[in-house]
Structure formats: structure tokens, C-alpha cells
Amino acid sequence: MDFLLHPATWLLALDWGIRIVALAWIPVRSAPAAARSWLLLVGFLPLLGLPLYLAFGHPWLSRERRERQANASRVIAERQQPLARLRWTPHDDSIADDIARLCERTGDFMPMGGNAIALEDDYAASLQALLADIAAARFEVHLLYYLMFDDAVGDAVADALAEAARRGVHCRLLLDDVGAKRGLRAYAPRLRAAGVDVRAMLAGGLAWRRSARMDLRNHRKLAVIDRRIGHTGSQNLAAPGFVPGFPNREVVARVQGPVVAQLGAIFASDWYIETGEVLAVPEQPPDAAGTSPAQLLPSGPAYPFANARNAVVALAQRARRRLVVATPYFVPDDATLDALEIAALSGIEVQLILSRSNNQRLTRWAQDSYLDALLEAGVKVALHRPRFLHAKHLSVDDEIALVGSINLDIRSFALNAELGLLCYDPAVVAQLRRIEAHCLADAEHLDAAAWRQRPHWRRSVSGIARLADSFL
């Protein structure tokens, strides 16, 4: 019986005990795809896999944050009831009718007409538009961004906010604590000294234990100036080359009209969730500034449904002629992959625009593994060059455009707080079509037969990387 006292016996028992507990516990707490990935890791490396699962395996949010999101959603619904006259009503049984109802039920906001929406894919031009709007602000500037770097763009934005605060403008800056770590360290002290209210979202380091799983991030990008002008899209507060060798290409929407109130509500909600402070929100949205119907779609782990994923799948399912999707990171779940394949097999022109360069190597390897089935189904795949295509946008026929911060990956769908702007206007879709055309004009278009001939070692690396899809 001496073997029972041997350390190797106890280690073996612990090893198999972890595997058995994981098999009983993980599938109950995780989606099937994520559970498979975690069980594979724990099965091979139990002593490493278990602590990693405890830290990263479940999109945990504190009860306080979930309750605050539920309170914010309730207030948004109540505030919209008296504004029924501003609701835009699409034609019955149209694509827009289906999508607008889905997004309102899951993301809280109704579609509103009377907006002016300008899409910009020139990095410098979109930045200058934001700086000009801050410089012209009279009473309020609210900025919420995932990333802010201590570079020329960060300097320009910080200077603009400090100057606005000195003019008496009430400025608030809400930044993700991890994504904007460098910006917070460089600018927060002097901005606070100038009168700007600077807060960090989802504290990193050991402080994460009080609020959420440590890798849950707020990935939104938005600005609201004087409650009448809004900016949202994929562009952060950083120079385009903040990742060396990967200068970014982005798309930003500058918005005027009633939907700006929805952007303001998102900022107020995130401010409340982070600080507990309730900001004053006007009873009436801005007056009509154009003719475009639009609707915001927020998503994230605090919501009961996968808002972004469900909207993308629904858009792909309802396309009738053409579907174009641009994303820098393509690690889809099964529902999204199936929707794209089925659309192409149904005879719809499906164009996927990815970036030829990528600043996340493991994600790029995993991404490659999905392209075989898509190309086989008839999906057209283009790799944009020479810049890093960081823009995230989607268009359906000539009816709907979606721009924002949502990547087509499991992280955006399940872990990050994201934001999308849905535009139900052929004129806005035409703007996005021109941007898509520019991306496609400077791209490598994949050939299915040639793609299948890539080296076996690349296929193997991609297949192995895909096993980590739930971690990316």
C-alpha cells in the first residue's frame, strides 16, 4: 500500500480529478464551442488549464454591473415611449423591418428618422472633424474610447479637451483601463487639473476582481458634442501607425439628428455603470438634420443576448442580392459562419474583406482555417493591402449599412462591449459602397483552387490555432 502514499500517486489523482471536475463543470457554464476548447486544454494540461479557465473561462460580470445595465435599459425604454412620433417605420416584411425590430428588442433603441450621416474613411479627415467639433463646443463634450495613445493624436485630443474645459465646457472622458493605459497615464493628471472629468472603465490589474473577468473590455468608440453632433466607428484616439508596420484604415460616421441622443444615452449608461453617477439626459432629442433613418445597437456581456452576433446573422440571412462584410479579425462562431455560407449557396453575392496584414498572428492563423469552407461555398474573399484594415462595416443590398466597433469574432460577440450604427438609407449605403470599392481595388482576391494548394504546414498551424477560437 506504500504506492498510495507516494507523491506521484497523489499527483496522478489530482491530475485526473481536475479532468473529471472540468468535464462536469465547464459545459454547464460555457457555450459548446468554448467548452470544447477549454476541455481540450484542461485535458492536455490540467494543472495549467484549470487556473486559466478560472481566470478567463467564463464571461463573469459583477452583479452590480449587470443590475446597472438592466436599470439603464429600463430607463432608455421609458424615455423612448413619449418619442413615438420620431420612430421611423419601415415597410412591412422588409429587411429593415425585421432587423429594426430585432435590434430594438435586444439593444433597447428604436429606429429614428431625420438624421444626417456622413461616412469618412480618411484617417486624418475624421480626426480633424472630431477636433473641430470639440473646438466649437459650447457646453458639453463626452468622449468614450477603447484606446488612447500618448502620441501626436493623443496630444491633439488632450489639448482640445483642456482648451474646451478652460472655456467652461463640461468635458468628460471615459477610457478603457487596459486599452487606453498609456493615454490615461500620460494625460489624466493634467486633464483633471484643467477641469476634464476623466474615468477609467473596467479596471485592470488586481482591481478586475471587483467588477468583471479581467479580459472583458469596453471596445466602443464614440463622441457626443453639445448633444447635437456624434461620432462613432472603428477609429481610436491614436495615430494610424500606433502598431508599428500596420497603419490603420478606418471608417467613422459623423452623425447629426435624433440618433445623437442614442449615442448620448450609451455614454450616460456606461458612465453610470462605471461610476454610479446618473448624468442629466435631455427629454427631447436633437431636431431633424437630414432624412436618414438610423438606430444604435449596443452589445456586450451585460446584455442577456448576443446582440451583435444576432444582428450580423440576421442581416446575412435576409440579404437578397449582395452582402459585403469588412472586418480586421475574422474568427466567427458556428452561427455566423453558417449564415455566410448559406447566403452564398443561395446565390447571393457575398464579399468578405479582410486585411492582408494583421497585428495578431494567432488570430490570423485561426482566420485562415475558416476560408476553405467559405471559398468552397462561393464566398468571395479579398485581402486588403497595404494598410491594416481595422474598419468594421457591413452592407446588405442597397438598404442597410452597419458601421461601428464590432469585429466578426467571438471576442466581439461575447466578451467586449461594442457599438454598431445601423443606417436604413440607400444614400448612406451608397457612401459605404464607395468605401468598399476603394478597399477592393487595392486587395488580393483569393482563388479557391490556389488557396487549397497552400502548404500543409500552414493548414496544420491554422487548424491548431482555430482550436483557440474562444480565447482570441
Side-chain angles (χ1 to χ4, degrees), residues 172-237:
R172 294 183 176 92
L173 177 62
L174 197 52
L175 298 171
D176 184 85
D177 192 57
V178 173
K181 182 177 180 179
R182 286 173 52 177
L184 285 165
R185 183 173 59 237
Y187 304 121
R190 72 180 179 92
L191 285 175
R192 287 170 178 147
V196 179
D197 197 344
V198 182
R199 305 295 180 97
M201 299 179 286
L202 292 165
L206 294 178
W208 69 270
R209 292 175 58 87
R210 297 195 302 269
S211 59
R213 193 177 108 178
M214 63 187 304
D215 64 330
L216 268 57
R217 309 300 346 143
N218 192 314
H219 193 240
R220 295 169 179 159
K221 295 99 174 161
L222 70 89
V224 183
I225 293 92
D226 286 345
R227 302 177 182 175
R228 63 183 184 84
I229 298 172
H231 297 251
T232 191
S234 61
Q235 189 167 324
N236 286 293
L237 302 180

Side-chain angles (χ1 to χ4, degrees), residues 2 43 67 76 101 141 167 205 237 246 257 283 291 330 392 450:
D2 290 345
E67 289 177 348
I76 289 168
R101 284 189 286 108
V141 173
R167 298 196 310 270
L237 302 180
F246 299 95
E283 295 291 333
T291 58
F330 183 71
K392 311 96 167 38

Side-chain angles (χ1 to χ4, degrees), residues 273-313:
I273 290 168
E274 193 60 48
T275 70
E277 180 185 358
V278 178
L279 300 181
V281 177
E283 295 291 333
Q284 294 295 324
D287 293 333
T291 58
S292 297
Q295 176 184 30
L296 276 192
L297 176 66
S299 65
Y303 289 89
F305 301 102
N307 299 352
R309 190 277 308 275
N310 291 345
V312 169
V313 169

Side-chain angles (χ1 to χ4, degrees), residues 86-363:
L86 297 175
R87 175 187 292 276
W88 174 73
T89 304
H91 298 298
D92 290 341
D93 299 324
S94 65
I95 302 174
D97 184 42
D98 293 342
I99 299 302
R101 284 189 286 108
L102 170 67
C103 293
E104 182 173 0
R105 289 174 179 173
T106 59
D108 304 326
F109 294 106
M110 67 182 183
M112 304 176 79
N115 303 288
I117 300 171
L119 302 183
E120 181 60 75
D121 68 334
D122 182 282
Y123 203 104
S126 58
L127 173 65
Q128 288 305 314
L130 175 63
L131 294 173
D133 288 335
I134 296 173
R138 295 175 297 163
F139 65 89
E140 187 177 81
V141 173
H142 287 167
L143 303 185
L144 186 163
Y145 282 85
Y146 168 69
L147 188 150
M148 185 177 188
F149 266 27
D150 51 344
D151 56 18
V153 170
D155 290 344
V157 173
D159 290 345
L161 288 172
E163 176 57 31
R166 282 190 285 269
R167 298 196 310 270
V169 176
H170 196 163
C171 298
R172 294 183 176 92
L173 177 62
L174 197 52
L175 298 171
D176 184 85
D177 192 57
V178 173
K181 182 177 180 179
R182 286 173 52 177
L184 285 165
R185 183 173 59 237
Y187 304 121
R190 72 180 179 92
L191 285 175
R192 287 170 178 147
V196 179
D197 197 344
V198 182
R199 305 295 180 97
M201 299 179 286
L202 292 165
L206 294 178
W208 69 270
R209 292 175 58 87
R210 297 195 302 269
S211 59
R213 193 177 108 178
M214 63 187 304
D215 64 330
L216 268 57
R217 309 300 346 143
N218 192 314
H219 193 240
R220 295 169 179 159
K221 295 99 174 161
L222 70 89
V224 183
I225 293 92
D226 286 345
R227 302 177 182 175
R228 63 183 184 84
I229 298 172
H231 297 251
T232 191
S234 61
Q235 189 167 324
N236 286 293
L237 302 180
F242 67 88
V243 178
F246 299 95
N248 285 19
R249 180 168 190 165
E250 312 283 2
V251 171
V252 176
R254 184 178 185 270
V255 184
Q256 294 175 278
V259 81
V260 174
Q262 297 183 1
L263 285 168
I266 289 293
F267 182 91
S269 296
D270 280 359
W271 188 270
Y272 165 66
I273 290 168
E274 193 60 48
T275 70
E277 180 185 358
V278 178
L279 300 181
V281 177
E283 295 291 333
Q284 294 295 324
D287 293 333
T291 58
S292 297
Q295 176 184 30
L296 276 192
L297 176 66
S299 65
Y303 289 89
F305 301 102
N307 299 352
R309 190 277 308 275
N310 291 345
V312 169
V313 169
L315 286 162
Q317 290 173 336
R318 285 157 178 77
R320 295 169 182 167
R321 295 181 301 279
R322 188 166 191 247
L323 171 70
V324 181
V325 180
T327 179
Y329 309 115
F330 183 71
V331 186
D333 61 2
D334 291 342
T336 307
L337 190 65
D338 289 346
L340 295 175
E341 290 180 8
I342 292 170
L345 290 169
S346 300
I348 294 162
E349 181 186 353
V350 180
Q351 176 71 67
L352 180 63
I353 309 174
L354 306 175
S355 185
R356 193 172 188 276
S357 60
N358 196 307
N359 63 339
Q360 297 186 17
R361 183 170 297 178
L362 184 60
T363 298

